[in-house]
Amino acid sequence: MNWCILIPLLVGAICALLGYLLGRLLGGTNNHDNCNDRIAKLEADLEACEASKSNIVSSFTAGATAIAFDAGAAKAVFGKTVKENDLTIVEGIGPKIQELFHNHDVKTWKSLSECSVDKCQRVLDSGGERFAIHKPGTWPEQARMAYEGLWSELLKWQDELDGGK
């Protein structure tokens, strides 16, 4: 038999056995249990975070709810029935201009109040030359007042305006 092959095999087997025994002696515990515990803790933290996030989103959207529309207060000031988000309450906006704004997804007083005067002008320009005489400079502010229910202030200001200009 050839001893040259047997000696390296024997030394390799002894080294493998010693490596295994040293690993068990020094490694001690099963690391899988530690990893599983850590994963469970991280998953619990994630669930708590997601619950907290949904609470924050709920409270934010509850705080961002629209201001309640009081038709009675509007009627008392204007002397006529005012429908919620009727853009024609804004001095200078009639049914055709309201239709233009609706076509550009501006359908509420709040959304009109958030428009820039430039955007209002672009909406008018989209309707053609017949809308060129209108000046939308006060429309966003008037819409804000309507949205916030500041009816007396809105009517007073509109009395001072000339066709929304």
Side-chain angles (χ1 to χ4, degrees):
M1 174 165 220
N2 193 353
W3 290 99
C4 292
I5 294 177
L6 189 59
I7 291 177
L9 287 175
L10 188 60
V11 170
I14 292 171
C15 288
L17 181 63
L18 285 175
Y20 172 76
L21 292 174
L22 280 174
R24 293 287 292 172
L25 180 67
L26 298 177
T29 62
N30 186 353
N31 285 336
H32 294 296
D33 292 337
N34 290 340
C35 289
N36 289 338
D37 291 344
R38 186 162 183 226
I39 288 171
K41 182 183 179 315
L42 289 172
E43 286 175 341
D45 288 348
L46 177 62
E47 287 176 22
C49 183
E50 287 174 344
S52 173
K53 181 180 91 175
S54 71
N55 288 341
I56 290 171
V57 169
S58 299
S59 65
F60 178 75
T61 48
T65 55
I67 297 171
F69 172 65
D70 185 355
K75 184 174 184 173
V77 172
F78 281 93
K80 65 179 183 177
T81 301
V82 175
K83 292 182 182 176
E84 186 173 10
N85 293 314
D86 180 7
L87 301 183
T88 62
I89 198 71
V90 172
E91 179 78 21
I93 295 181
K96 293 292 183 183
I97 293 176
Q98 176 176 260
E99 187 178 329
L100 284 176
F101 275 97
H102 284 183
N103 291 340
H104 286 84
D105 275 342
V106 178
K107 298 178 181 179
T108 65
W109 293 324
K110 184 172 184 341
S111 61
L112 179 57
S113 73
E114 294 169 346
C115 285
S116 67
V117 175
D118 287 338
K119 180 175 180 179
C120 291
Q121 189 62 55
R122 286 193 302 274
V123 170
L124 285 174
D125 292 344
S126 73
E129 285 188 32
R130 67 188 253 195
F131 297 103
I133 63 169
H134 297 280
K135 304 293 180 210
T138 63
W139 296 355
E141 185 63 19
Q142 288 185 64
R144 182 194 61 79
M145 294 171 100
Y147 170 70
E148 292 177 356
L150 303 173
W151 302 114
S152 298
E153 294 90 339
L154 177 59
L155 182 63
K156 182 180 177 208
W157 191 25
Q158 286 179 345
D159 287 342
E160 297 169 5
L161 294 172
D162 178 24
K165 302 173 194 169

